Amino acid sequence: MRDLIKSLENALSREGSASTDFDLNKDIILPEDRKLTAAAVLVAFRAGTGNLVLTKRSARLKHHPGQIAFAGGKQDSQDANPSAAALREANEEIGLDPTQVQVIGALPSHETVTGYAITPVLAVVHGDFIPVPEAGEVSEVFEVPFTHVINPAAFGVQGRHWNGRRRYYYTLPYGPYYIWGATARILRALAERMT
């Protein structure tokens, strides 16, 4: 477990910059005056195994139904900081007790095509944790091995049409799970810092 924490601390100490959903699409020019909504996600690794905890969003959701995501969401006015928002959201979405979580630090923010500035909060989950998905938001909670998410060779690039143009994005396939978009880009940023 100490090796996991040290690896995450070392990754945070390395150079890195903010990322966006547009990183692979250099022809897209974003307006200077755009307004972004603050959000935070918990990039949570289990202390015993190093596995990353991810969710599959409910197919009934209006935004990003069925997609693979970190637990997290919009930063509310009562949240003291991004870490508090990520911990609150993880508790609401998957039943993760904040007292089990050791926050290591945060990666630079990630801008999404939907207008969010997401702070990825790196953390380690201690003790027994049996996920309890909030049925309205989460259909499944699953884990991905640490070695898979920090391996740059595991990532691919794919594209699809979006708003009348071809948009490219990172992917991180794992078994039956298609990890892509902001989740894959944030993990790619972490993998880049790990190597």
Side-chain angles (χ1 to χ4, degrees), residues 87-88 91 96-102:
L87 291 170
R88 176 184 54 75
N91 181 253
L96 179 57
D97 183 344
T99 64
Q100 290 185 257
V101 181
Q102 178 182 354

Side-chain angles (χ1 to χ4, degrees), residues 35-55:
K35 301 271 190 273
L36 299 174
T37 302
V41 295
L42 196 66
V43 184
F45 296 92
R46 286 199 184 251
T49 62
N51 289 351
L52 174 68
V53 178
L54 289 173
T55 71

Side-chain angles (χ1 to χ4, degrees), residues 9-10 28 30 36 38 44 59 77 79 89 95 100 102 104 108 115 162 169 177 182 185:
E9 289 172 341
N10 287 341
I28 296 176
L30 299 171
L36 299 174
S77 57
D79 296 321
E89 288 280 348
Q100 290 185 257
Q102 178 182 354
I104 307 300
W162 177 75
Y169 51 87
Y177 303 105
R185 181 61 187 98

